[in-house]
Amino acid sequence: MDPNGIIRKQDGTRVISSIANNRIGRDLTWDWLRSNWNRVSEYFDTAISSSVGRMIGSISQDFNTDLKLKELVDFYEKNKVHLRTAKKDTEIAMQ
């Protein structure tokens, strides 16, 4: 998440979603997203961007355990005020 980096901001969601498309990458991106939530939400501006919602949807699409559901619910409860445009995508992922 470097404005001067080689990955353009508008491609960031696609890169993260691609990494999340396999079992190992999914867990890595989920841990990364939660650990870096403040930076991610500021960089992609959750007030106006749907990028974070797509990112959460991609990462969580294969969650299939009670533990992953609990982690997602905990993430939602902790950050729902700051999710903004990603709130609906996160709610859908929890269903």
Side-chain angles (χ1 to χ4, degrees):
M1 292 184 302
D2 178 359
N4 301 314
I6 59 171
I7 298 172
R8 297 178 309 169
K9 186 176 189 175
Q10 63 266 32
D11 295 331
T13 300
R14 191 172 351 169
V15 170
I16 292 165
S17 296
S18 294
I19 296 168
N21 278 332
N22 71 61
R23 192 184 77 228
I24 295 169
R26 178 187 61 234
D27 293 336
L28 289 173
T29 54
W30 179 233
D31 291 343
W32 175 83
L33 178 71
R34 291 181 296 155
S35 297
N36 293 283
W37 173 247
N38 290 334
R39 285 184 55 217
V40 170
S41 64
E42 287 175 15
Y43 185 72
F44 289 103
D45 192 1
T46 58
I48 59 171
S49 174
S50 59
S51 297
V52 176
R54 288 193 307 273
M55 195 182 308
I56 291 170
S58 294
I59 293 169
S60 63
Q61 71 182 347
D62 290 328
F63 283 1
N64 60 2
T65 65
D66 290 338
L67 174 62
K68 290 298 180 192
L69 177 59
K70 182 183 180 328
E71 289 175 356
L72 188 57
V73 170
D74 290 347
F75 174 79
Y76 176 82
E77 290 300 325
K78 180 180 177 185
N79 299 297
K80 65 182 164 188
V81 172
H82 305 287
L83 284 169
R84 300 184 196 169
T85 59
K87 187 175 180 182
K88 186 67 173 174
D89 291 296
T90 308
E91 290 169 346
I92 291 168
M94 291 187 300
Q95 296 178 356

